[in-house]
Amino acid sequence: MLIRGATVVDGSGGRGRIADVHVAGASIRQVGRLTATSADSVVDARGLVLAPGFIDTHSHHDWGLDSERTAVAAVSQGITTIVVGQDGWSNFPLADFFGRLAARPAALNVASYVGHGRLRAAILGDDFKRQATAAEVRHMGALLDGEMAAGALGLSSGLEYDPGIYSSRDELIALARVAARHGGRYISHMRSEDRHFWAAVDELLAIGRLARLPVQISHAKLAMKSLWGHADSLIGILDRARAAGVRVTLDVYPYTYWESTLTVLFPERDFRDTAAARFALTEVTSPDSAILGDYEPDTTLVGKSIAQVAALRGTDPAATLIDLIASARKPKPGGGEFSESVIGTSMIQPDIDRLVRWPFANVCSDGALNGSHPRGFGAFPRFFRQYVRERHLLSLEEAVRRTTSLAAANVGIRSRGRIAPGFFADLVLLDTAALADRSTPARPHLAATGIRAVWVNGVLVYDGAPTGAVPGRVIRRAAARGR
Ligand SMILES: [Zn+2]
């Protein structure tokens, strides 16, 4: 295939230039002024920008991927690789997950971390509300060894969630050392994004320093009023850590609101604590801006804010939050747990801007195929719309670098994220003037505009609609190189 006449923005950060790109099989063969042979199919891309496909370093687009293999939420925003196994939870064992994906591939490539919480659950079971013993940590390490051997990128943690929240720093360091032995890395939804933020950053950096592996902050945010305006301090800490040899990076999504569980608002895990509920609804988010994204115990409440539910029930917002959690934690008829989620506004734009401008920050979606947060369909186009076209905070070339080669480097993926001979032909053809997200909290599944065509491993998967092709591959960690 010859893609002719596009402005090629190759992912390196270097200036875009008009060139032809020759794709042979799954790979990029040549870039330059090229002539088509009779065997080539030719794509006329004049007036458009050709970039490497976006690499989403923190994705939940694997949920339901086996039944929705076209992954329209992701590919319609130009994502060609998702990195899953995030927030401490991964498919287990990964060898089976990778085997299923290889047998029934999706439209996009999938790489995975090993979830620390998954290891904890395997060894501690229901008895997880405590520190692990040395023997248990060794057992977790043995499981991790196997998962790393299966090709995981490293260890992920979700330290605001069960069961990771009960782990000690030493447990994490011990396991990170196992990942490091395999040339892996550590990625973390940190222990706090609000009340205990600075200690959480310190913990992540200590893990990087002591276990001697690259560490990445997942979906970085300063999510509490008293933290607002302090992104500069965070960047200062990260820069000093880098200068001292810690390979720290971060990913960030371009929204001031997150989506998580209601229980994440209670770091001390007492879900009846009125003072904690009040604090969450005044300092972390607000009754008006905390909106139920999912609420299985009573689906009529989905889309309503805590303030609206409180008004309906005639209870105050803190009591309402406590009641909502209590109902969701009741045993579900037929077994299992009720699902629930909340979309909470907790961040301010200037902090996100500061994080985005840090040269080691790449972009992630944190999105899902059928989620309630608009990031599932919109994160990457929104990043380009806001930061390149509307606010001119990044050049197009730099924005492409953040979503491609830097993303690949930050999670240890090789041979993707650049348009250069020998790289995989994961490509996105952009109409940059039209590139925009359309998804909103009210309509989270609206596909973006400006994504003209998406190829994965040289195969067209999206051209305004999914093509039905499923050429995605499993991406395993490359063998560690000597340093
Ligand atoms: Zn997370």
Side-chain angles (χ1 to χ4, degrees):
M1 173 175 66
L2 191 69
I3 303 172
R4 181 176 274 166
T7 299
V8 173
V9 176
D10 69 4
S12 68
R15 232 183 134 65
R17 63 191 172 103
I18 292 179
D20 309 318
V21 174
H22 190 224
V23 172
S27 301
I28 296 165
R29 172 76 59 84
Q30 244 186 316
V31 182
R33 292 272 156 155
L34 308 173
T35 44
T37 68
S38 56
D40 289 332
S41 62
V42 176
V43 177
D44 181 1
R46 284 174 294 180
L48 300 171
V49 166
L50 188 69
F54 305 141
I55 296 173
D56 187 353
T57 60
H58 187 103
S59 166
H60 301 291
H61 288 105
D62 57 325
W63 299 342
L65 186 62
D66 51 347
S67 55
E68 202 195 317
R69 296 156 72 199
T70 54
V72 62
V75 297
S76 66
Q77 52 175 315
I79 295 168
T80 54
T81 295
I82 55 172
V83 180
V84 305
Q86 301 288 349
D87 298 314
W89 205 252
S90 54
N91 283 279
F92 180 83
L94 276 174
D96 290 0
F97 174 62
F98 288 161
R100 286 196 301 277
L101 267 173
R104 269 175 58 81
L108 37 60
N109 305 308
V110 180
S112 184
Y113 280 84
V114 183
H116 160 247
R118 183 61 112 168
L119 301 175
R120 247 188 160 242
I123 301 299
L124 274 63
D126 289 337
D127 180 25
F128 61 83
K129 293 184 179 177
R130 59 178 177 85
Q131 296 195 1
T133 65
E136 287 165 339
V137 173
R138 273 199 307 281
H139 288 144
M140 283 187 249
L143 292 181
L144 177 55
D145 257 327
E147 297 298 85
M148 292 302 297
L153 298 177
L155 178 69
S156 90
S157 64
L159 303 179
E160 280 194 306
Y161 301 120
D162 290 345
I165 193 167
Y166 296 99
S167 63
S168 67
R169 182 182 291 204
D170 285 346
E171 171 181 330
L172 293 163
I173 291 168
L175 293 172
R177 283 192 165 120
V178 174
R181 275 207 300 276
H182 291 267
R185 33 191 75 224
Y186 177 75
I187 194 166
S188 182
H189 176 140
M190 296 193 298
R191 209 176 281 277
S192 176
E193 299 180 328
D194 43 72
R195 295 163 177 84
H196 309 294
F197 180 76
W198 302 110
V201 174
D202 181 71
E203 178 176 70
L204 177 108
L205 296 175
I207 291 166
R209 190 170 61 243
L210 296 169
R212 297 173 174 275
L213 82 179
V215 292
Q216 167 125 324
I217 301 173
S218 291
H219 44 58
K221 57 178 80 87
L222 292 95
M224 184 171 72
K225 279 182 187 161
S226 62
L227 291 171
W228 289 355
H230 290 274
D232 248 338
S233 309
L234 171 62
I235 297 302
I237 289 168
L238 301 183
D239 277 335
R240 283 193 292 282
R242 287 188 66 89
V246 179
R247 290 166 284 168
V248 62
T249 53
L250 64 81
D251 55 42
V252 58
Y253 56 70
Y255 296 89
T256 55
Y257 45 95
W258 43 262
E259 181 175 19
S260 186
T261 57
L262 287 162
T263 54
V264 83
L265 293 166
F266 292 77
E268 317 308 332
R269 309 316 264 175
D270 178 356
F271 307 121
R272 290 162 305 181
D273 181 345
T274 304
R278 287 222 176 90
F279 185 90
L281 291 173
T282 50
E283 293 301 315
V284 179
T285 183
S286 71
D288 286 311
S289 68
I291 294 164
L292 292 169
D294 178 19
Y295 194 69
E296 211 182 0
D298 180 356
T299 53
T300 65
L301 299 181
V302 172
K304 291 192 165 55
S305 67
I306 303 281
Q308 286 170 323
V309 178
L312 275 175
R313 295 179 169 183
T315 49
D316 77 78
T320 305
L321 173 58
I322 287 169
D323 288 347
L324 286 168
I325 292 175
S327 300
R329 285 171 59 81
K330 280 186 184 142
K332 182 171 153 180
E337 290 171 16
F338 286 115
S339 60
E340 53 88 351
S341 78
V342 61
I343 295 175
T345 300
S346 294
M347 293 85 85
I348 56 169
Q349 195 65 45
D351 285 331
I352 300 173
D353 295 349
R354 183 67 190 94
L355 298 177
V356 163
R357 290 208 320 271
W358 193 47
F360 304 98
N362 72 269
V363 175
C364 70
S365 78
D366 201 0
L369 293 178
N370 289 297
S372 334
H373 194 296
R375 62 197 182 189
F377 277 74
F380 285 77
R382 181 183 178 89
F383 168 69
F384 281 91
R385 172 175 68 78
Q386 289 188 331
Y387 286 94
V388 179
R389 200 173 73 239
E390 292 180 353
R391 300 176 54 215
H392 309 288
L393 287 172
L394 296 174
S395 68
L396 175 65
E397 288 84 351
E398 180 61 10
V400 168
R401 186 182 77 86
R402 301 305 189 85
T403 48
T404 60
S405 69
L406 182 70
N410 284 357
V411 293
I413 289 176
R414 301 232 174 91
S415 304
R416 298 183 192 270
R418 288 281 306 276
I419 297 180
F423 276 70
F424 283 98
D426 295 342
L427 300 165
V428 57
L429 193 58
L430 304 167
D431 175 355
T432 49
L435 186 54
D437 54 312
R438 292 192 305 148
S439 55
T440 64
R443 301 193 65 188
H445 298 168
L446 286 180
T449 53
I451 305 288
R452 289 291 195 88
V454 180
W455 291 267
V456 172
N457 299 311
V459 177
L460 185 69
V461 298
Y462 183 82
D463 58 1
T467 64
V470 285
R473 297 188 183 183
V474 173
I475 299 176
R476 292 179 177 81
R477 187 188 71 266
R481 271 190 215 143
R483 305 187 216 125

